Amino acid sequence: MHIEAGVVQGAKMILSYATAAGVVGMGAKLAWERIKEDGIVSFLIKSILATVIVFNCFEVLPHYPVGVSEVHLILGTTIFLVFGLAPAMVGLSLGLLAQGLLFAPFDLPQYGINVTTLLASMLILDQVAKRVIPKDTPYKDISYSQMLKMSIAWEGAIVSWVAFWAFYGQ
């Protein structure tokens, strides 16, 4: 989901820039930690793959306008589980940016709002995953109920952020 143009306007956009700076800063910190642990090549490969998948989810999979937003099937929980938190955050932010630059330049003014919605929701998903999945559990051993809990947290966080921006914009 992302906020359509015109929902938040004028001086109210400053909050979107501040929140975007916060989540992007957190993502940069997490990326640096991941690079130190796994190496730059591993991080770049995961981030590039996540970006390509996110971009394709935005442009290839069905997406529908719903109220003040547009619903995209991003597969956020799966991207998180396959690539990890930091590469997923990079993929979401760069995939969203590429979509705006290449196909939807009218969405670029809302980039701060939309990147906040996605990255803050990804941080919430990470916290839920830490509580739901025991440490060092292989991806193949994640149960349907664990996946459902994480997906509900991901979607619930996104819907909550969209609701926040819609009410804030009024």
Side-chain angles (χ1 to χ4, degrees):
M1 281 180 126
H2 70 261
I3 294 291
E4 293 296 328
V7 173
V8 179
Q9 298 179 31
K12 288 187 173 187
M13 291 295 285
I14 293 170
L15 180 63
S16 73
Y17 304 139
T19 57
V23 292
V24 168
M26 176 61 87
K29 177 182 178 275
L30 294 167
W32 178 247
E33 292 170 2
R34 184 63 32 223
I35 289 168
K36 287 192 302 189
E37 190 171 314
D38 295 341
I40 187 82
V41 173
S42 172
F43 178 77
L44 285 175
I45 290 170
K46 289 176 182 179
S47 296
I48 290 167
L49 289 172
T51 300
V52 168
I53 290 169
V54 168
F55 178 76
N56 279 298
C57 287
F58 279 136
E59 291 305 315
V60 175
L61 294 180
H63 50 281
Y64 304 98
V66 176
V68 297
S69 68
E70 188 172 26
V71 176
H72 290 268
L73 302 172
I74 304 172
L75 307 176
T77 306
T78 302
I79 292 168
F80 166 80
L81 289 171
V82 171
F83 298 113
L85 176 60
M89 290 178 74
V90 169
L92 288 168
S93 59
L94 293 180
L96 180 64
L97 182 60
Q99 183 224 14
L101 290 171
L102 298 173
F103 294 103
F106 49 86
D107 280 341
L108 289 175
Q110 289 75 239
Y111 183 76
I113 292 170
N114 294 324
V115 82
T116 296
T117 298
L118 292 174
L119 298 189
S121 297
M122 187 59 62
L123 290 168
I124 291 167
L125 172 60
D126 179 58
Q127 292 304 305
V128 170
K130 288 177 181 174
R131 288 172 177 74
V132 170
I133 302 172
K135 190 172 173 80
D136 299 323
T137 299
Y139 180 76
K140 67 178 184 60
D141 291 338
I142 294 172
S143 71
Y144 289 116
S145 65
Q146 291 169 319
M147 188 68 170
L148 179 63
K149 290 174 188 174
M150 290 185 299
S151 293
I152 289 170
W154 164 251
E155 294 301 333
I158 288 176
V159 169
S160 297
W161 271 104
V162 168
F164 167 78
W165 292 117
F167 286 117
Y168 174 72
Q170 303 302 312

